[in-house]
């Protein structure tokens, strides 16, 4: 099954962008996922195809018009389309690995990239959009955010990553940050690889890695440990 991504943007030239290279690019070429890019400006108003206007009530910046965006969505997303529709937005729920997994198991997703001050609030409910953030900072547009989300999802699609199971040990997969890695040379500027890793004792190695992952998570992200014990809601439900 092909994971179908549809992106609505005012900057279509930004796609596939980073997703055209490396693992995601190869998977796109193979048909593991597909990408449809829709230029919101196709539905702009007047000679200059205006898509935005000044905010009601005053204030800085411009706002993408509800009618323009709704028409652009309706042109590429049919009402019975089963895919979740995301509006990239710093106000949204924060994207995480659980949602990446959930999306990777589904038919695809629609991503609407904001620009300027954002979009007219009315289109969000009218088209059933879920606001999705990639973190607590403000980007100039949703395009990079959509690519971040897609990158995290695509690498989980069957056949995209080489090493079987390597994706399951990753940071955030089990609520822990990943243990440290080492490779050649055995000694680097006076530092040796921890002896247990060259011992050949797989049980010991697994225990050491688990302990290191817990130590690192406790030191850097104690919030992940407390979150782990709480049962998780379906990330697509509010
Ligand atoms: N005025 C808005 C920010 C607009 S930034 C506010 O304060 O909430 C312009 C666009 O960039 C947004 O519409 C959104 O699509 C995108 N964007 C900015 N920061 C983002 C983030 N952290 N995650 C996802 N999208 C973001």
């Amino acid at each position: 099954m092909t994971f179908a991504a549809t992106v609505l943007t005012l900057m279509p030239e930004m796609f596939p962008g980073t997703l055209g290279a490396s693992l995601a690019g190869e998977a796109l070429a193979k048909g593991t996922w597909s990408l449809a890019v829709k230029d919101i400006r196709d539905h702009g108003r007047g000679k200059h195809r205006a898509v935005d206007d000044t905010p009601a009530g005053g204030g800085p910046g411009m706002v993408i018009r509800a009618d323009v965006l709704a028409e652009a969505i309706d042109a590429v997303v049919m009402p019975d389309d089963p895919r979740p529709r995301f509006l990239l937005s710093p106000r949204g729920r924060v994207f995480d690995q659980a949602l990446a997994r959930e999306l990777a198991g589904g038919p695809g997703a629609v991503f609407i990239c904001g620009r300027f001050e954002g979009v007219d609030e009315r289109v969000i409910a009218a088209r059933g959009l879920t606001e999705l953030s990639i973190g607590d900072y403000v980007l100039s547009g949703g395009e990079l955010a959509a690519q971040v989300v897609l990158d995290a999802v695509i690498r989980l699609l069957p056949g995209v990553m080489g090493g079987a199971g390597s994706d399951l040990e990753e940071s955030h997969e089990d609520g822990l940050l990943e243990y440290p890695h080492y490779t050649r040379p055995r000694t680097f500027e006076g530092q040796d690889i921890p002896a247990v890793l060259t011992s050949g004792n797989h049980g010991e190695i697994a225990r050491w890695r688990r302990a290191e992952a817990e130590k690192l998570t406790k030191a850097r992200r104690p919030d992940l440990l407390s979150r782990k014990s709480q049962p998780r809601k379906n990330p697509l439900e509010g």
Side-chain angles (χ1 to χ4, degrees):
M1 197 178 68
T2 296
F3 179 92
T6 295
V7 175
L8 289 92
T9 171
L10 287 166
M11 307 280 159
E13 67 277 16
M14 288 187 174
F15 288 86
T18 67
L19 302 175
S22 192
L23 285 181
E26 287 160 27
L28 182 59
K30 273 199 304 191
T32 309
W33 68 288
S34 69
L35 176 65
V37 181
K38 169 74 178 166
D39 189 348
I40 298 168
R41 200 169 292 282
D42 292 348
H43 299 271
R45 297 294 192 260
K47 200 168 66 193
H48 299 294
R49 296 209 165 279
V51 295
D52 56 340
D53 213 321
T54 53
M62 299 293 273
V63 177
I64 299 178
R65 290 172 57 129
D67 53 353
V68 169
L69 185 54
E71 270 177 35
I73 295 170
D74 294 343
V76 290
V77 185
M78 298 307 111
D80 61 347
D81 193 315
R83 297 174 297 166
R85 307 163 180 192
F86 296 110
L87 172 66
L88 283 313
S89 158
R91 303 190 315 186
R93 60 159 295 194
V94 179
F95 181 63
D96 63 10
Q97 191 65 17
L99 183 51
R101 281 237 165 253
E102 167 113 12
L103 293 176
V110 177
F111 298 94
I112 295 152
C113 305
R115 280 266 149 192
F116 324 122
E117 286 306 315
V119 310
D120 186 308
E121 189 74 17
R122 295 169 291 181
V123 80
I124 299 174
R127 290 299 177 275
L129 309 183
T130 300
E131 291 182 70
L132 186 63
S133 169
I134 62 159
D136 294 338
Y137 39 79
V138 180
L139 303 166
S140 54
E143 289 77 9
L144 278 174
Q147 288 180 31
V148 166
V149 172
L150 275 168
D151 183 275
V153 172
I154 291 161
R155 61 190 286 287
L156 298 177
L157 297 174
V160 174
M161 294 246 301
S166 73
D167 57 326
L168 289 174
E169 291 199 354
E170 228 78 69
S171 291
H172 300 296
E173 281 292 353
D174 56 359
L176 292 176
L177 302 178
E178 200 179 42
Y179 52 80
H181 296 293
Y182 300 88
T183 184
R184 283 186 239 273
R186 200 163 177 141
T187 303
F188 167 69
E189 297 185 352
Q191 297 185 70
D192 290 333
I193 293 177
V196 56
L197 296 180
T198 48
S199 69
N201 184 331
H202 297 296
E204 281 294 310
I205 292 170
R207 270 189 294 281
W208 181 86
R209 285 180 166 165
R210 177 83 198 176
E212 288 294 311
E214 285 172 2
K215 207 161 73 187
L216 212 66
T217 309
K218 211 161 154 187
R220 295 188 187 174
R221 293 290 307 277
D223 59 302
L224 293 179
L225 295 172
S226 47
R227 203 182 297 172
K228 229 178 107 176
S229 49
Q230 279 153 28
R232 238 205 132 77
K233 288 197 305 181
N234 179 342
L236 286 177
E237 287 166 8

